[in-house]
């Protein structure tokens, strides 16, 4: 902590008492003392988990306003570099430089994590410890939001082919979302951090999260790019089937672990394994909340790239993922992000 001047009118950002100490990071960034002053070291330590978001927010704003062109991403987009990061890479995939952060119009309502990727309310919410039973009004908002998310994902799927860059996919997702926002919706979409030209034989996962009317809708799918080898076809189809089989058992009274047992059993029978680092999660007004739904027993290890976002398998082998937002009903389950009659015909096993 740095000692400030004799400004007795400055109040502690945490407790409101007269403050003479200032956050050193705020001083380095030349931020105003209001909101950066503290009365004691203890107050500063207690406030740190929420106060540090001020620095991240400024970094993100600076990043958005700097005409730096295409650079490699670090720290979930909060830092960028012109040099490929040093890392013990696995497999053939490497990060590519990405374009500048895309601007969401001010008129569109945003969640508290929109600018810097750090949720403010979510970590300390009691919904991390108890499962929220949604009201009919919340459910209707979720239905609308999830349908929009599905439409946006479908728009991205339609352009996937060899030669398209992941940045172009990002543009489609952004523009499809914002266009709806400018017409009648208030929403924000979570966008990717890697830009690369798709090659024949690739598989690519597109993950869309839409924020609309104060709630989130979340889904993703893995797509084939051109002519894909049989092992990759089996991987993607088995992953799709794992989710499908898990959804089929969802109803009141089913234990969380049973979902993971179904998924793990089907993956194992196909000679595949499940990555343990991620799991299903509750969703609503918060992006992530209780319950956490493990989908594994025997596991496969993964590694996180220097961007602190891209997860790859430890041995460099391919992985696939599918995700839906589900509503548990009195008699079973409603898939809020289900494919529509207008969804592109991209999965051979769904053809009649």
């Amino acid at each position: 902590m740095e000692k400030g001047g004799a400004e007795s009118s400055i109040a502690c950002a945490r407790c409101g008492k007269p403050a003479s100490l200032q956050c050193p990071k705020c001083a380095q960034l030349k931020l105003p003392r209001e909101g950066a002053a503290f009365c004691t070291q203890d107050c500063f330590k207690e406030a740190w988990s929420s106060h540090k978001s001020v620095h991240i927010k400024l970094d993100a704003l600076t990043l958005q306003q700097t005409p730096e062109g295409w650079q490699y991403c670090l720290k979930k987009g909060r830092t960028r570099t012109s040099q490929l990061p040093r890392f013990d890479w696995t497999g053939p995939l490497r990060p590519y430089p990405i374009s500048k952060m895309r601007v969401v119009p001010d008129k569109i309502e945003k969640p508290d994590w929109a600018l810097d990727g750090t949720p403010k309310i979510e970590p300390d919410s009691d919904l991390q410890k108890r499962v929220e039973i949604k009201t009919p009004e919340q459910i209707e908002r979720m239905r609308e939001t999830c349908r929009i998310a599905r439409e946006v994902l479908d728009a991205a799927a339609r352009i996937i082919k060899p030669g398209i860059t992941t940045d172009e996919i990002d543009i489609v997702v952004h523009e499809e979302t914002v266009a709806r926002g400018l017409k009648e919706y208030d929403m924000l979409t979570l966008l990717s951090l890697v830009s690369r030209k798709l090659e024949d034989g690739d598989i690519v996962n597109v993950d869309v999260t839409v924020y609309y009317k104060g709630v989130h809708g979340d889904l993703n799918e893995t797509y084939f790019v051109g002519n894909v080898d049989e092992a990759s076809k089996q991987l993607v189809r088995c992953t799709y089937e794992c989710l499908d089989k898990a959804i089929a058992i969802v109803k009141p009274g089913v234990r969380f672990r049973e979902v993971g047992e179904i998924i793990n059993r089907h993956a194992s029978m196909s000679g595949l394994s499940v990555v343990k680092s991620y799991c299903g999660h509750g969703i609503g007004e918060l992006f992530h909340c209780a319950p956490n739904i493990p989908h594994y027993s025997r596991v496969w290890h993964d590694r996180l790239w220097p961007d602190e976002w891209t997860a790859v398998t430890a041995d460099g082998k391919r992985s696939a993922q599918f995700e839906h937002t589900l509503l548990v009903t009195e008699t079973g389950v409603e898939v809020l992000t289900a494919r529509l009659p207008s969804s592109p015909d991209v999965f051979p096993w769904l053809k009649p």
Side-chain angles (χ1 to χ4, degrees), residues 110-123 211 216 286:
K110 304 172 184 65
D112 65 3
W113 51 263
L115 186 61
D116 55 33
T118 303
K120 313 304 182 297
I121 298 174
E122 183 177 299
Y211 181 77
H216 298 79
L286 300 180

Side-chain angles (χ1 to χ4, degrees), residues 21 264 328:
L21 302 176
N264 191 80
V328 180

